[in-house]
Amino acid sequence: MHVILGLSIAEWAETLTALGVLVSTGSWLFKKIALDPLRADIQRLSEQIGQQLKVHEQTLASINGRIKEHDKELGSHSERITRLEDHAGIKEEKENED
């Protein structure tokens, strides 16, 4: 029988097997205690951020629509003012003053 550092080959095999089981158990516990809850938190936060992003995108789309409406109204008002000025001869008078 071979003896290495005071232990036989069978005793070394038992020790290594026990050590492997301990490492495996520790890894499983770490996963259950730390990684799984962390993964769940990350998933929940990702979903919340996604929902908030959708709300913000909708808000921005609404604001953009209102800005376009206001731009059209301003363009329409500008055209009306130009027509009124032309009709009243205001532009011609201003040109004559220069």
Side-chain angles (χ1 to χ4, degrees), residues 2-92:
H2 289 83
V3 176
I4 303 170
L5 298 174
L7 296 176
S8 69
I9 293 177
E11 290 171 329
W12 273 109
E14 287 177 16
T15 302
L16 291 175
T17 300
L19 185 60
V21 168
L22 284 174
V23 168
S24 178
T25 302
S27 175
W28 180 82
L29 280 173
F30 179 74
K31 180 182 179 290
K32 289 296 177 189
I33 292 170
L35 295 182
D36 285 352
L38 182 61
R39 191 173 287 122
D41 287 346
I42 289 170
Q43 180 65 34
R44 185 175 37 72
L45 288 172
S46 176
E47 290 170 0
Q48 288 175 351
I49 290 170
Q51 291 170 350
Q52 290 175 354
L53 183 60
K54 286 180 184 177
V55 169
H56 291 308
E57 286 174 345
Q58 291 171 347
T59 301
L60 288 173
S62 174
I63 290 170
N64 190 35
R66 282 185 269 157
I67 288 173
K68 287 181 181 180
E69 288 176 21
H70 290 302
D71 282 347
K72 287 179 185 177
E73 288 177 20
L74 287 173
S76 174
H77 292 312
S78 178
E79 287 176 23
R80 288 182 195 157
I81 290 171
T82 301
R83 278 188 256 138
L84 283 171
E85 288 174 338
D86 289 346
H87 182 71
I90 295 173
K91 284 190 174 185
E92 290 177 16

